[in-house]
Amino acid sequence: MADARTPRELDEVVDGLLEVAKRTHVVMVSVAARHDLTAQQVGLLRVLDEPVSMRAFAEELSCDPSNVTGLVDRVERLGLVDRVADPDDRRIRMLTLTPKGRRLREKINAEVARDLAAALGLEPEDHGRVLRLIASLTPTDATPPPRP
Amino acid sequence: MADARTPRELDEVVDGLLEVAKRTHVVMVSVAARHDLTAQQVGLLRVLDEPVSMRAFAEELSCDPSNVTGLVDRVERLGLVDRVADPDDRRIRMLTLTPKGRRLREKINAEVARDLAAALGLEPEDHGRVLRLIASLTPTDATPPPRP
DNA sequence: AGGAAAAGCTTGACTTCCTCAAGTATTCGT
DNA sequence: ACGAATACTTGAGGAAGTCAAGCTTTTCCT
């Protein structure tokens, strides 16, 4: 409807979101580095509250399965994760935290929360608003949109 | 104190923010791929509304300057950016869009806005709320470089 | 049941991104 | 004027990503 305001505003919203994403990434990298890990390795730990197949994790990351092979190789070498064969389907390897991996996961999650709150200036009284906003944004169905 | 609610809520906020960051990244990668670029290359184009030194861009990315050398090499090879010598300080190379680069930048910015809005389910009536929230979050002073 | 197709993972070749250490040019400070 | 700092590049090397090809196991079809 030839509304000139909306696109202009949208540009500012995009800038803001990209800024938030950038700071989030910087936090992930710096928390990871503190434990001699990479941001993706921390991402893997975060997902592994419960075991997940390599295939499922590749989809979570929107990446090729062969990429996950290398990622898991490195994390397994650190003794944080095991590949556990699924008894019902021997093609599947379930990624499972070792006790060491689980301890590190708890510690790292706490640090991510603390540092991210600091990086964004998140105050406790903001939580409600942010949660409501996030809930309304992400269209809970994880539909990755442009599927031509 | 000893408020058990706050940390629990904070965890949900963190999850939401990471989800937003993830979708943002997916959008950047897919827009970039559509033009045979990478997400970082698109990031460079976005920054170059006006010329920027390599040093400044490395700080923007929080990365080592030598990384920018390679990044710019590739984008220069595509004819999107030029290294222009600064007449006042011959150490400095100002990154400058070529006409081709500028045209591509406009097109890509529009696509990022459109696809990001779709990926997050951003409605025009959300803009105001998002903008206010973003403004209150990011501790406005984006204090990157104390400029001597 | 038996064989082709599909699913889950790995391997190998290759690119990009990224860091660190070292090196070159240029400018700044005293 | 000379040493220190700044801006960038180069080279070595790791992590992360893609694609194509291959192996094993499961599923599907008839």
Side-chain angles (χ1 to χ4, degrees):
Chain A
M1 301 264 283
D3 181 353
R5 292 272 305 288
T6 298
R8 186 76 198 83
E9 280 181 357
L10 179 54
D11 285 347
E12 289 176 41
V13 172
V14 167
D15 283 347
L17 287 169
L18 289 175
E19 177 68 23
V20 168
K22 193 183 78 181
R23 294 201 200 183
T24 301
H25 185 246
V26 167
V27 166
M28 293 298 277
V29 168
S30 86
V31 169
R34 196 178 298 149
H35 299 278
D36 281 305
L37 297 176
T38 66
Q40 335 292 329
Q41 290 169 350
V42 167
L44 176 53
L45 295 191
R46 282 189 64 86
V47 166
L48 287 187
D49 189 20
E50 46 191 40
V52 155
S53 71
M54 305 198 55
R55 170 98 183 114
F57 185 61
E59 259 159 29
E60 163 76 18
L61 247 64
S62 320
C63 76
D64 191 279
S66 66
N67 187 25
V68 175
T69 296
L71 190 46
V72 170
D73 281 350
R74 292 181 284 271
V75 176
E76 197 176 29
R77 216 177 288 140
L78 297 173
L80 301 175
V81 163
D82 277 339
R83 284 164 159 106
V84 176
D86 180 332
D88 295 343
D89 184 338
R90 281 154 49 204
R91 293 171 301 182
I92 297 179
R93 308 307 210 76
M94 295 301 276
L95 303 176
T96 311
L97 287 180
T98 62
K100 177 179 173 189
R102 182 158 296 277
R103 280 193 300 275
L104 187 54
R105 177 179 188 276
E106 303 312 322
K107 182 180 275 192
I108 281 181
N109 275 354
E111 292 179 20
V112 167
R114 170 168 52 74
D115 292 3
L116 193 53
L120 297 178
L122 249 190
E123 304 292 348
E125 54 268 29
D126 295 330
H127 293 179
R129 269 164 62 224
V130 180
L131 278 178
R132 250 172 289 120
L133 184 65
I134 287 171
S136 82
L137 284 190
T138 72
T140 26
D141 61 287
T143 317
R147 272 308 194 165
Chain B
M1 306 312 189
D3 182 353
R5 293 270 305 288
T6 298
R8 185 74 198 84
E9 280 180 356
L10 179 54
D11 285 347
E12 289 175 41
V13 172
V14 167
D15 283 347
L17 288 169
L18 290 175
E19 177 68 23
V20 168
K22 193 184 79 182
R23 294 200 198 184
T24 301
H25 184 247
V26 168
V27 166
M28 293 298 278
V29 169
S30 84
V31 170
R34 197 177 298 150
H35 298 278
D36 281 304
L37 297 176
T38 66
Q40 337 292 329
Q41 290 168 350
V42 167
L44 176 53
L45 294 191
R46 281 189 64 86
V47 166
L48 287 187
D49 189 19
E50 46 192 41
V52 155
S53 71
M54 304 197 58
R55 171 97 182 117
F57 184 62
E59 261 159 27
E60 164 76 18
L61 246 65
S62 319
C63 78
D64 191 279
S66 66
N67 187 24
V68 175
T69 296
L71 191 47
V72 171
D73 281 350
R74 292 180 283 272
V75 177
E76 197 176 28
R77 216 175 290 140
L78 298 174
L80 302 174
V81 163
D82 277 339
R83 285 163 159 108
V84 177
D86 179 333
D88 296 342
D89 184 340
R90 280 154 48 206
R91 294 170 302 182
I92 298 178
R93 308 307 209 77
M94 295 301 276
L95 303 177
T96 312
L97 287 180
T98 62
K100 177 178 173 190
R102 182 158 297 277
R103 279 193 301 275
L104 186 54
R105 178 179 188 274
E106 304 312 323
K107 182 180 276 191
I108 281 181
N109 275 353
E111 292 180 18
V112 168
R114 169 169 50 76
D115 291 2
L116 193 52
L120 297 178
L122 250 190
E123 304 291 348
E125 55 268 28
D126 294 330
H127 293 179
R129 271 163 64 223
V130 180
L131 280 177
R132 250 174 287 120
L133 184 68
I134 286 171
S136 81
L137 284 189
T138 72
T140 28
D141 61 287
T143 337
R147 285 287 190 191

